[in-house]
Amino acid sequence: MACFVHADLDAFYAAVETLDHPEYHGKPVIVGGLPGDRRSVVATASYEARVFGVHSAMPIAEAVKRCPQGIFLRGNMRRYQEKSREIMALFMDFSPEVQQLSIDEAFLDISGMEGLFGPPEEQGRHIKRAVREKTGLTVSVGIASNKYLAKIASGISKPDGLCIIPPGGEAAFMTEQPVEKIWGAGKKTREIFRKHGFKTCADIAALSPETLTSIFGVSFGAFLYRAVRGEAAESFDRERGGHSMSAERTFEYDLRDRFAMESSLLEICQTVFWRVLRGRLESKTISVKIRYDDFTTVIVRETFPAGITALNDFYGKTLALFYRKYEAGRGVRLLGAGLLNLEPATARQGDLFGTQNEKERRLEEMIVEINRKFPGAALRRGAVMGEDGGRFGVRKE
Ligand code: DCP
Ligand code: MG
């Protein structure tokens, strides 16, 4: 019988800060920036701060308004990464297969481990105790017969939660959840839920596959069909926060040079775009992330009227978004870019309507296809940085 644990640390960055500064205990701790950091956003807030309505991704200025007495911190990624490594190493004591999802969460495959560690509930308690005793932090644990449901379960009774879904109880558990619990449904999808008056997963489970497809499209409709029944649906949503693909790079030295930043963004865009092409997907929304040398992080995103169907277009828009936010002269520690709200790619139009972007997209599809068939070919599009902000040529490396 398959059995998966999803473990997610509670208010991770804030919890590490409280561990290192016991005087913060029981206080509203907000990590992401200091009051007055105009462009910073909240990375996370302690549960004490969440009571005031402070949450991740909220501008720091708004957090100051809601919780003026909060302890505001810029954060220390090195320290969080150190704790993250400790935690992941600990997880490996409980499962031969640990899949890290983000800095503070992982799936542990515990199928067939009952003989070693006892029934799932006992294993969950073991994991929670070990994390508390060895790292001083609390973790919420969800256990279910598939990863998707285990992920939902870990969020049910946060903080310090433990939620086990017995085999056979998947659909009963999931259908009583509000639609907000569907992992992989972003802002836009929630808007559609609201429009149709779908409040619980049961409301969606009542729809036929045809109705789901007509409302949400083939791919997302099929995903929802499984998700609301508590069936394995994670393959749809490999990335954090919805149906998106992104990549980021942390640099050994803080970047200050324009060219270095632009080349890095190009490389990131290529990585993301080829994954999107391979998945036959398409998006209108770009997100760009900049983390400065003091760990403050800004994220900028924009939705464009038309789908981004060419790497050149993706890169050009990413650069423009980057320069809109980048504060010249500051050292950059990390850069990231992504395409959000991915949808299945629309059918290609014929040459009659073949715009430059369409041609480029076909060329890129060809490159992806060649690379798939001949992994050694390592065909890449090279950047020719020019006055127009970077055009592309194809080069073989
Ligand atoms: N994080 C971030 N920006 C976000 C979301 C999260 O920088 N928009 C960082 C800070 C978090 C860490 O990632 O501490 C883990 O993210 P989680 O979503 O697991 O959030 P928390 O662990 O903080 O809270 P909880 O899991 O208890 O909801
Ligand atoms: Mg967490």
Side-chain angles (χ1 to χ4, degrees):
M1 185 63 166
C3 191
F4 294 94
V5 169
H6 179 261
D8 181 349
L9 278 287
D10 302 314
F12 183 52
Y13 297 177
V16 175
E17 293 294 345
T18 305
L19 183 71
D20 293 346
H21 304 91
E23 66 275 21
Y24 297 166
H25 189 80
K27 301 223 164 89
V29 176
I30 296 157
V31 181
L34 303 180
D37 289 351
R38 281 190 307 130
R39 294 166 186 227
S40 303
V41 293
V42 175
T44 195
S46 67
Y47 279 78
E48 288 82 355
R50 293 184 198 191
V51 173
F52 295 92
V54 177
H55 56 75
S56 297
M58 171 182 282
I60 287 289
E62 178 62 26
V64 172
K65 263 190 225 155
R66 294 190 185 200
C67 186
Q69 72 275 44
I71 297 168
F72 286 83
L73 304 165
R74 284 206 173 127
N76 179 351
M77 279 311 292
R78 224 170 301 240
R79 177 70 178 132
Y80 309 148
Q81 249 140 15
E82 183 179 87
K83 289 308 274 185
S84 172
R85 276 193 294 271
E86 268 179 48
I87 293 153
M88 296 302 153
L90 199 64
F91 289 163
M92 286 177 206
D93 293 343
F94 291 90
S95 161
E97 221 174 295
V98 175
Q99 180 190 2
Q100 186 172 352
L101 274 189
S102 75
I103 191 163
D104 80 326
E105 59 181 317
F107 287 119
L108 285 66
D109 186 345
I110 58 162
S111 311
M113 311 278 287
E114 297 215 5
L116 265 177
F117 294 111
E121 173 158 1
E122 207 167 305
Q123 297 191 52
R125 289 192 196 290
H126 268 142
I127 294 168
K128 287 171 65 66
R129 193 179 322 123
V131 169
R132 196 171 49 244
E133 286 173 1
K134 300 208 170 118
T135 73
L137 299 169
T138 63
V139 64
S140 292
V141 165
I143 306 182
S145 59
N146 67 67
K147 291 181 193 172
Y148 185 81
L149 208 53
K151 161 95 184 169
I152 309 260
S154 75
I156 289 293
S157 47
K158 262 184 170 294
D160 205 11
L162 176 62
C163 174
I164 293 130
I165 310 210
E170 290 85 359
F173 167 82
M174 198 60 198
T175 45
E176 72 182 22
Q177 300 302 323
V179 292
E180 287 73 29
K181 293 280 178 199
I182 297 173
W183 176 38
K187 238 194 212 157
K188 267 200 187 144
T189 308
R190 282 199 218 121
E191 197 50 53
I192 301 176
F193 291 160
R194 248 193 307 279
K195 213 177 74 196
H196 288 267
F198 303 148
K199 293 202 170 65
T200 68
C201 290
D203 296 338
I204 295 171
L207 306 175
S208 69
E210 292 72 30
T211 310
L212 278 171
T213 304
S214 69
I215 302 176
F216 298 101
V218 176
S219 161
F220 199 76
F223 158 76
L224 277 179
Y225 186 89
R226 298 180 68 76
V228 296
R229 286 168 175 74
E231 293 171 14
E234 63 270 8
S235 66
F236 182 81
D237 189 13
R238 283 194 207 93
E239 314 229 347
R240 181 198 173 88
H243 193 27
S244 64
M245 288 193 182
S246 61
E248 55 185 49
R249 302 284 176 264
T250 305
F251 310 110
E252 226 163 288
Y253 303 98
D254 298 325
L255 301 188
R256 288 177 193 279
D257 174 67
R258 261 179 77 123
F259 178 75
M261 293 184 218
E262 289 179 3
S263 336
S264 174
L265 280 173
L266 171 61
E267 190 267 325
I268 291 166
C269 285
Q270 287 183 332
T271 305
V272 171
F273 201 72
W274 288 351
R275 276 159 57 201
V276 167
L277 282 181
R278 257 189 222 120
R280 305 227 158 257
L281 297 164
E282 190 175 300
S283 156
K284 293 178 184 164
T285 307
I286 298 179
S287 153
V288 176
K289 176 167 164 185
I290 309 168
R291 176 164 295 141
Y292 291 107
D293 46 6
D294 63 359
F295 293 97
T296 55
T297 305
V298 288
I299 292 170
V300 51
R301 67 171 62 165
E302 185 167 336
T303 299
F304 298 91
I308 291 132
T309 55
L311 175 59
N312 203 20
D313 187 28
F314 178 35
Y315 177 57
K317 291 188 159 98
T318 297
L319 263 194
L321 283 178
F322 169 76
Y323 279 119
R324 194 190 299 165
K325 279 283 158 181
Y326 176 59
E327 295 172 44
R330 288 185 72 179
V332 170
R333 181 185 165 71
L334 171 149
L335 285 174
L339 287 166
L340 314 181
N341 305 321
L342 290 163
E343 306 265 356
T346 46
R348 294 280 80 77
Q349 292 177 326
D351 261 339
L352 192 57
F353 305 103
T355 60
Q356 187 61 21
N357 275 353
E358 270 306 311
K359 282 184 197 146
E360 287 184 2
R361 176 164 175 128
R362 280 202 294 275
L363 172 63
E364 282 149 12
E365 278 178 343
M366 207 179 72
I367 296 173
V368 171
E369 194 55 24
I370 292 171
N371 278 323
R372 201 178 58 78
K373 285 189 186 147
F374 310 103
L379 216 53
R380 290 173 76 84
R381 299 196 90 182
V384 185
M385 306 300 290
E387 287 128 322
D388 61 348
R391 300 292 299 172
F392 297 90
V394 179
R395 76 164 185 258
K396 191 175 182 306
E397 289 180 338

